[in-house]
Amino acid sequence: MILLGNAGNKLWGGRFVGNTDPIMEKFNASIAYDQRMWEADVKGSKAYVKALQKAGLVTQNEMEQILTGLDKVFDEWSKGEFKIKPGDEDIHTANERRLKEFIGDPAGKLHTGRSRNDQVATDTRLWLRDAINTLKELALQLISTMVERAAVEIEILCPGYTHMQRAQPIRWSHWILSHAVALSRDVERLEDIRKHVNVMPLGSGAIAGNPFNIDRELLRQELKFDSISINSMDATGQRDFVAEFLFWASMCLTHLSKMAEDLILYSTKEFSFITLTDAYSTGSSLMPQKKNADSLELIRSKAGRVFGRCAGFLMTLKGLPSTYNKDLQEDKEAMFDTYDTVHAVLQVATGVISTLKVNQPAMEGALSPDMLATDLAYHLVRKGMPFREAHSCAGKAVYIAESKNIHLSQITVEDLQTVSPLFDKDVSSVWDYNRSVEQYSAPGGTARSSVTAQIEHFRTWLQAQKQKP
Amino acid sequence: MGNTTYFGNKLWGGRFVGNTDPIMEKFNASIAYDQRMWEADVKGSKAYVKALQKAGLVTQNEMEQILTGLDKVFDEWSKGEFKIKPGDEDIHTANERRLKEFIGDPAGKLHTGRSRNDQVATDTRLWLRDAINTLKELALQLISTMVERAAVEIEILCPGYTHMQRAQPIRWSHWILSHAVALSRDVERLEDIRKHVNVMPLGSGAIAGNPFNIDRELLRQELKFDSISINSMDATGQRDFVAEFLFWASMCLTHLSKMAEDLILYSTKEFSFITLTDAYSTGSSLMPQKKNADSLELIRSKAGRVFGRCAGFLMTLKGLPSTYNKDLQEDKEAMFDTYDTVHAVLQVATGVISTLKVNQPAMEGALSPDMLATDLAYHLVRKGMPFREAHSCAGKAVYIAESKNIHLSQITVEDLQTVSPLFDKDVSSVWDYNRSVEQYSAPGGTARSSVTAQIEHFRTWLQAQKQKP
């Protein structure tokens, strides 16, 4: 027998007789991070041995030994007692090594017809499927918090901004819900991605398929996948579902970065619309007065981190030759880091939103008559003037007020009549913020009825989401 | 009345009395590129005026004048006769200016209750919805070409590669279909995106909604949207559908970059598996022998360009305050460039695939006995040896052959028996490439039956896709 070298305990060892470079060993090994998928790997193997037994490649007795051995491996991991040994290149190697230590030779039959190429693709999908369930729950929690806050604070008015400049009066709750609706899209996209994840690669082998009449339908049912992959080369060589997850997370955190930007602005002394609780703020080691919205700043920051993961992985994927290449193991750290980041961000965001204090006098005090310039134009429109002309007239009124250094609402009727003879005493009805918001009663607007309709929509939607399997 | 100044012709002119900086004018104006949406803008306005008439804000007569005027605007654009004037900041300004030149004062009533914020979001969605239809057709064309090629060439065998190293024999058609399946996912994702695009923002105003009881349902039906937006601040301030489209294109072109990589490799003299027709190749201005697969190199390149558009736009979106900000107009050049690029790539890829020549002798000549090492291991497995051990034995056999500088298939039975006594004369049945591919008969594999099933699956799927509205 030929002596084997250092590589003898690798799954692929047979032909290798020289030592590997220890730096290369470390460079190549994925165990440091892919051990996180220990549970998925055990589940995948338990299903696979059942299919092997059905195909006559292991006996009933061997299958039972393997299943029992795998349960012991599972136990060790869940108790934090599994010891990784040198030579455990990855979670698949580690689990099979431990299985052999438990049950001996039958362990060597587990990998018949399987390759790490279809094994890892399956494990990764199993892991991500569960991870998605968790993220969905956290997102629903955040949305629910926002919706209920919007319901409680529906009477509060505040400036609405476009281009960050005062635009029109809105309900504060309309602002809250504008962010909730983006997050609800995130939940729906996440469900779409879960469907894309839920396609089973197992039974694709290394590249060409499975040569032992493995029952892939049995595997599908055991592992609760929706469908089986249609082409073994694509199944082992694609990580679209990871790239999509990374992009999903980028979009979700981009949404949250915008909400954070708004809230940071509103927390400034200049705006004074909201105050964060101390739990989500930090001070300055130098300046005693400082209260910084660090929670929100970090939430805003993570969009870049996560999109970096997405961009990095897409760059890795570009121009890869077909089927499995080692490049693909870049998927996991990206996926795990992204998951952990989104997990934390959703939780912190929920905490921030549920505990921040709103300063109603400051919000309503920031409403200024110039924000009713559109209403002034609409006043003329309702008297029959084309909007384009009415807009111009209102703009001139704004100019007059600024020149005289008075509020728009203080312009005399005489001065207004120099702009248009259609103005008369009834213009005073314009200077009413509640009236202003209440006119936006078409669906999607900021009137009380419309905001209430949004809240009901979300409550119904949230109920339906929680009942989904 | 004050003098109207240089700004009089801007839609927002009223209060501005100083000149703008002409550099700023150019920096700010989007007409250079957003004129591409002229048709969507006219359609959106035609629908809107109908809703205005229903709400009593224009008379029947005014509506008809506006509709007729808009038809004339449409005509000019479609004949390439529309002249853009200085002061036409964007397509919305340009179209309204021209309308006023045609019909006079009633044109000034068109924009009542509408803002460019909800107008542009609507126009962009209308444009993208149509663009998606076109891209889908092109993608289906490419997939169909690939599937039919796979059907014709189903008998051809070739090496399958993992890590770009010879792995196992496969059918050439299995390789083709591995790329077709990724593209079919792209078509399905594109359909999902079309649904996300097909939500109507019109009636959201600038920020707060529509104050004139506009019938948004009427607008939805006129413009054939699936649903209306639920929150006016989100509707005017989000461009998720653009970001998703840009990412979709990045994924699609990443798929094509991988196929291009494979084909460039296969077109080298060293592989000699395929030859591109001259129509898709170029030469060297220096080296007379050169035939470069420039078509494929450019296809591969475009993934970076398009993902750059995606990354750039996401960066633009990050941390934006709520609602509309001018940053958002970065969406269009990204969207148009991405559309044009994908459009061209799909067409060229279809041309390349349909005309390339396959060199069957070279492909089959590259099949080498070492590629049947797995089969050698499976030979032992079928005699009862655990796979793990069989893999090791086959590895040793490979080593022996390499040491003796002979093919794996030339090892004597005696030498094989030093590796395992289970070997005997029947090992000769292993050295048969057709037998090798035929064992992979489980769904997804490279056996004739399984590849045929994939072809049938795609033909059915293509039929169903073409029949969708």
Side-chain angles (χ1 to χ4, degrees):
Chain A
M1 289 278 195
I2 295 149
L3 277 178
L4 295 167
N6 181 261
N9 51 358
K10 294 284 190 302
L11 296 182
W12 39 267
R15 72 185 297 272
F16 279 75
V17 292
N19 285 337
T20 37
D21 169 3
I23 292 173
M24 171 56 191
E25 281 235 15
K26 186 169 192 297
F27 190 57
N28 178 64
S30 55
I31 187 71
Y33 52 85
D34 76 7
Q35 56 175 286
R36 193 164 171 171
M37 302 201 306
W38 63 264
E39 183 171 352
D41 192 67
V42 170
K43 277 186 180 157
S45 286
K46 286 179 72 168
Y48 194 67
V49 74
K50 292 177 187 174
L52 287 177
Q53 188 274 331
K54 182 174 177 186
L57 287 152
V58 298
T59 63
Q60 176 77 20
N61 182 262
E62 286 167 332
M63 177 183 81
E64 282 163 14
Q65 287 185 68
I66 288 171
L67 287 172
T68 305
L70 287 170
D71 282 340
K72 286 178 160 176
V73 171
F74 187 102
D75 261 355
E76 283 202 330
W77 275 113
S78 51
K79 289 176 181 146
E81 288 167 2
F82 189 104
K83 286 180 186 27
I84 291 163
K85 299 266 166 73
D88 285 346
E89 185 183 353
D90 52 49
I91 185 60
H92 323 294
T93 309
N95 281 348
E96 192 176 308
R97 176 212 25 99
R98 192 66 182 126
L99 177 69
K100 182 167 185 184
E101 287 169 4
F102 280 133
I103 71 170
D105 282 346
K109 293 198 168 192
L110 173 57
H111 208 59
T112 309
R114 189 174 65 172
S115 161
R116 282 179 299 178
N117 296 353
D118 61 340
Q119 181 179 10
V120 72
T122 303
D123 289 358
T124 307
R125 286 171 183 266
L126 288 171
W127 187 90
L128 187 55
R129 195 175 68 189
D130 281 349
I132 280 174
N133 293 342
T134 304
L135 293 183
K136 178 179 165 173
E137 277 177 44
L138 292 176
L140 291 177
Q141 180 72 18
L142 172 56
I143 294 169
S144 176
T145 303
M146 293 167 78
V147 170
E148 293 312 315
R149 183 152 201 149
V152 167
E153 296 175 328
I154 195 170
E155 299 300 340
I156 300 178
L157 304 190
C158 64
Y161 296 83
T162 64
H163 306 253
M164 216 192 277
Q165 306 304 319
R166 287 184 185 161
Q168 292 175 340
I170 56 164
R171 289 185 187 281
W172 158 245
S173 297
H174 198 56
W175 175 91
I176 297 176
L177 296 168
S178 73
H179 290 289
V181 74
L183 291 167
S184 73
R185 278 198 297 277
D186 290 326
V187 169
E188 291 177 343
R189 303 293 172 264
L190 194 53
E191 288 184 324
D192 290 342
I193 289 175
R194 196 184 187 282
K195 292 189 193 109
H196 306 165
V197 170
N198 217 17
V199 177
M200 187 189 77
L202 197 55
S204 298
I207 173 178
N210 189 292
F212 293 111
N213 270 326
I214 257 2
D215 184 348
R216 296 190 74 200
E217 176 59 21
L218 182 158
L219 290 170
R220 183 193 74 70
Q221 288 178 29
E222 277 288 323
L223 295 171
K224 300 186 174 39
F225 282 101
D226 288 337
S227 62
I228 65 178
S229 59
I230 185 183
N231 177 293
S232 54
M233 294 172 72
D234 171 78
T236 51
Q238 65 107 334
R239 294 289 188 271
D240 286 6
F241 64 99
V242 174
E244 286 178 29
F245 172 68
L246 300 177
F247 182 72
W248 170 85
S250 303
M251 290 293 294
C252 177
L253 293 196
T254 298
H255 294 153
L256 290 168
S257 80
K258 295 175 58 170
M259 186 173 85
E261 176 81 0
D262 281 355
L263 289 172
I264 292 167
L265 195 61
Y266 298 164
S267 76
T268 62
K269 273 278 178 286
E270 287 77 8
F271 277 72
S272 288
F273 286 1
I274 61 153
T275 322
L276 298 198
T277 57
D278 289 355
Y280 295 103
S281 315
T282 63
S284 163
S285 59
L286 177 64
M287 297 164 277
Q289 86 282 10
K290 276 302 212 91
K291 182 168 178 171
N292 293 327
D294 278 17
S295 55
L296 294 170
E297 296 165 40
L298 288 171
I299 287 171
R300 183 177 60 189
S301 75
K302 301 296 188 179
R305 174 202 190 97
V306 157
F307 185 65
R309 287 295 192 176
C310 177
F313 190 56
L314 241 75
M315 194 163 169
T316 292
L317 289 178
K318 199 280 289 185
L320 277 186
S322 280
T323 73
Y324 187 79
N325 295 269
K326 213 57 149 86
D327 314 51
L328 293 179
Q329 76 185 26
E330 283 293 305
D331 60 353
K332 293 179 198 63
E333 286 168 293
M335 183 177 73
F336 294 144
D337 184 43
T338 294
Y339 169 80
D340 291 338
T341 302
V342 176
H343 191 280
V345 166
L346 288 172
Q347 290 184 306
V348 174
T350 302
V352 169
I353 294 288
S354 55
T355 58
L356 66 84
K357 290 191 180 11
V358 163
N359 185 339
Q360 185 170 359
M363 281 186 172
E364 293 183 345
L367 295 169
S368 44
D370 57 306
M371 295 178 66
L372 298 172
T374 315
D375 301 62
L376 192 65
Y378 287 157
H379 184 72
L380 292 172
V381 164
R382 289 189 177 100
K383 291 183 182 232
M385 183 188 282
F387 173 73
R388 191 53 66 207
E389 204 185 320
H391 177 281
S392 181
C393 291
K396 285 170 194 154
V398 169
Y399 179 72
I400 289 173
E402 286 185 349
S403 314
K404 294 193 167 189
N405 209 18
I406 57 175
H407 286 308
L408 193 58
S409 50
Q410 292 171 322
I411 299 184
T412 59
V413 175
E414 288 73 32
D415 276 344
L416 282 173
Q417 281 168 344
T418 69
V419 173
S420 165
L422 288 177
F423 281 120
D424 63 39
K425 278 191 313 215
D426 68 2
V427 74
S428 60
S429 67
V430 168
W431 316 117
D432 178 343
Y433 300 115
N434 264 294
R435 181 176 171 274
S436 180
V437 298
E438 279 308 283
Q439 66 185 323
Y440 294 104
S441 56
T446 199
R448 200 181 203 287
S449 57
S450 168
V451 173
T452 301
Q454 292 177 53
I455 290 165
E456 286 317 307
H457 163 87
F458 278 116
R459 281 173 172 162
T460 306
W461 179 84
L462 282 163
Q463 270 296 104
Q465 286 297 328
K466 282 164 190 168
Q467 275 154 21
K468 284 191 185 177
Chain B
M1 294 272 195
N3 271 335
T4 47
T5 65
Y6 179 74
F7 288 91
N9 52 355
K10 291 281 191 300
L11 295 181
W12 39 265
R15 74 185 294 271
F16 280 78
V17 290
N19 284 338
T20 34
D21 170 5
I23 292 174
M24 172 56 190
E25 280 236 13
K26 189 168 189 297
F27 190 57
N28 177 66
S30 55
I31 187 68
Y33 51 86
D34 75 7
Q35 56 174 288
R36 195 163 168 170
M37 302 199 309
W38 63 264
E39 182 170 351
D41 192 68
V42 169
K43 276 188 181 157
S45 288
K46 288 180 72 170
Y48 194 68
V49 75
K50 293 179 185 172
L52 287 177
Q53 188 273 330
K54 183 173 178 186
L57 288 152
V58 298
T59 63
Q60 176 79 18
N61 182 259
E62 286 167 331
M63 177 183 79
E64 282 163 12
Q65 288 185 66
I66 287 171
L67 288 171
T68 305
L70 287 169
D71 283 340
K72 286 179 159 176
V73 171
F74 186 104
D75 261 356
E76 282 202 331
W77 275 112
S78 52
K79 288 175 182 149
E81 288 166 4
F82 190 105
K83 287 181 186 26
I84 292 164
K85 298 266 165 73
D88 283 346
E89 187 184 350
D90 49 46
I91 186 59
H92 323 295
T93 310
N95 280 348
E96 193 176 309
R97 174 206 34 91
R98 192 66 182 125
L99 178 69
K100 182 169 185 182
E101 287 169 4
F102 280 131
I103 71 170
D105 283 347
K109 293 197 167 188
L110 174 57
H111 208 56
T112 309
R114 188 174 65 173
S115 161
R116 282 181 297 178
N117 295 356
D118 63 340
Q119 180 179 12
V120 73
T122 304
D123 288 359
T124 308
R125 286 171 183 266
L126 288 171
W127 187 89
L128 187 54
R129 196 176 68 189
D130 280 350
I132 280 173
N133 293 342
T134 304
L135 292 183
K136 178 179 165 177
E137 277 178 43
L138 292 176
L140 291 177
Q141 180 72 20
L142 173 57
I143 294 168
S144 175
T145 302
M146 292 167 77
V147 169
E148 293 312 315
R149 182 150 203 152
V152 166
E153 296 175 329
I154 194 171
E155 299 300 340
I156 299 178
L157 304 191
C158 64
Y161 297 83
T162 63
H163 306 253
M164 216 191 280
Q165 307 304 318
R166 285 184 186 164
Q168 293 174 342
I170 56 162
R171 286 185 189 282
W172 158 245
S173 296
H174 198 58
W175 175 92
I176 297 176
L177 295 167
S178 73
H179 290 289
V181 72
L183 290 167
S184 72
R185 280 198 295 279
D186 291 328
V187 169
E188 290 176 343
R189 303 294 172 265
L190 194 54
E191 288 184 325
D192 290 342
I193 290 175
R194 195 184 187 284
K195 293 191 192 105
H196 306 164
V197 170
N198 217 18
V199 177
M200 186 188 76
L202 197 56
S204 298
I207 175 178
N210 189 291
F212 292 112
N213 271 326
I214 254 9
D215 184 347
R216 296 190 72 200
E217 177 58 23
L218 182 158
L219 290 170
R220 184 193 73 71
Q221 289 179 27
E222 277 289 321
L223 295 171
K224 298 185 174 43
F225 281 99
D226 288 336
S227 61
I228 64 180
S229 60
I230 186 181
N231 178 295
S232 54
M233 294 171 73
D234 170 78
T236 51
Q238 65 107 332
R239 295 289 188 272
D240 287 4
F241 65 98
V242 175
E244 287 179 28
F245 172 69
L246 299 177
F247 183 73
W248 170 85
S250 303
M251 290 294 294
C252 176
L253 292 197
T254 298
H255 294 153
L256 290 169
S257 80
K258 294 175 59 171
M259 186 173 85
E261 176 81 359
D262 280 356
L263 290 172
I264 291 168
L265 194 61
Y266 298 164
S267 76
T268 62
K269 272 277 177 291
E270 287 76 9
F271 278 70
S272 287
F273 285 1
I274 61 150
T275 322
L276 299 197
T277 57
D278 289 355
Y280 295 103
S281 316
T282 64
S284 162
S285 59
L286 177 64
M287 299 164 276
Q289 84 284 8
K290 277 301 212 90
K291 183 168 177 168
N292 294 325
D294 278 18
S295 54
L296 295 169
E297 295 164 42
L298 288 171
I299 287 171
R300 183 178 58 190
S301 76
K302 300 296 186 179
R305 176 202 189 95
V306 157
F307 185 65
R309 288 295 192 176
C310 177
F313 190 57
L314 241 76
M315 195 163 168
T316 292
L317 290 177
K318 199 281 285 185
L320 276 186
S322 281
T323 73
Y324 187 80
N325 296 269
K326 214 57 152 84
D327 315 52
L328 293 179
Q329 79 183 24
E330 283 293 304
D331 62 352
K332 294 180 197 65
E333 287 169 291
M335 183 178 72
F336 295 143
D337 183 43
T338 295
Y339 169 79
D340 290 338
T341 301
V342 176
H343 191 283
V345 166
L346 288 172
Q347 290 185 307
V348 174
T350 303
V352 169
I353 294 287
S354 55
T355 59
L356 66 83
K357 288 187 180 18
V358 163
N359 185 339
Q360 186 172 359
M363 282 185 170
E364 295 184 346
L367 294 169
S368 43
D370 58 307
M371 295 177 67
L372 297 171
T374 316
D375 303 62
L376 192 65
Y378 287 157
H379 184 73
L380 293 171
V381 163
R382 289 190 177 100
K383 291 183 183 235
M385 182 187 284
F387 173 73
R388 191 54 66 210
E389 205 187 318
H391 176 281
S392 179
C393 293
K396 286 171 195 152
V398 168
Y399 179 73
I400 291 173
E402 287 185 349
S403 316
K404 295 194 170 191
N405 209 19
I406 57 174
H407 286 307
L408 193 57
S409 50
Q410 291 170 322
I411 299 184
T412 60
V413 174
E414 288 74 29
D415 276 344
L416 282 173
Q417 279 167 347
T418 68
V419 173
S420 165
L422 288 179
F423 280 121
D424 65 41
K425 281 194 309 226
D426 67 3
V427 75
S428 61
S429 66
V430 167
W431 315 117
D432 178 343
Y433 300 115
N434 263 296
R435 182 177 172 274
S436 179
V437 299
E438 279 308 285
Q439 65 186 323
Y440 294 104
S441 55
T446 198
R448 199 182 204 289
S449 57
S450 166
V451 172
T452 301
Q454 292 178 53
I455 290 166
E456 285 317 306
H457 162 88
F458 279 116
R459 283 175 171 161
T460 305
W461 179 86
L462 282 162
Q463 270 296 100
Q465 287 297 332
K466 283 166 189 165
Q467 272 152 23
K468 285 191 184 175

